[in-house]
């Protein structure tokens, strides 16, 4: 499929994702490379022979943090009142 020089890496090479994008559909989350590989935004891929490559990195990082609970300031005690 690749017509330019230098030639892009073949679909079975480890650097297959370095090939040029021939068609891009970001609204659908995929692109077709000139070596026939379809790459997905989650970093997975579909090879021309039908094999699939699972995502190799997290598409979205999820950060969870526990923030310390804020303590309410103590209420001042006023003489002659009942605390709630």
């Amino acid at each position: 499929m690749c017509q330019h020089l230098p030639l892009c890496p073949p679909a079975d090479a480890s650097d297959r994702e370095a090939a040029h994008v021939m068609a891009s559909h970001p609204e659908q989350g995929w692109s077709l490379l000139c070596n026939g590989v379809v790459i997905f935004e989650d970093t997975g891929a579909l090879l021309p022979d039908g094999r699939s490559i699972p995502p190799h990195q997290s598409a979205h990082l999820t950060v969870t943090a526990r923030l310390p609970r804020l303590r309410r300031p103590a209420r001042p005690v006023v003489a002659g009142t009942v605390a709630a």
Side-chain angles (χ1 to χ4, degrees), residues 44-81:
L46 184 61
L47 302 182
D49 63 5
R51 290 183 293 147
S52 64
I53 306 295
H56 53 80
Q57 63 182 342
S58 178
H60 302 284
L61 295 177
T62 302
V63 177
T64 56
R66 292 194 163 206
L67 299 176
R69 294 190 75 151
L70 299 177
R71 296 181 181 214
R72 292 184 181 178
R75 291 184 181 177
V77 177
V78 179
T81 62

Side-chain angles (χ1 to χ4, degrees), residues 6-80:
L7 295 176
C8 288
D12 57 354
S14 61
D15 60 345
R16 66 181 67 85
E17 294 177 12
H20 288 247
V21 174
M22 301 301 290
S24 179
H25 294 276
E27 71 282 358
Q28 296 176 355
W30 64 274
S31 295
L32 173 65
L33 304 180
C34 69
N35 57 5
V37 174
V38 176
I39 57 169
F40 298 97
E41 66 181 14
D42 69 354
T43 70
L46 184 61
L47 302 182
D49 63 5
R51 290 183 293 147
S52 64
I53 306 295
H56 53 80
Q57 63 182 342
S58 178
H60 302 284
L61 295 177
T62 302
V63 177
T64 56
R66 292 194 163 206
L67 299 176
R69 294 190 75 151
L70 299 177
R71 296 181 181 214
R72 292 184 181 178
R75 291 184 181 177
V77 177
V78 179

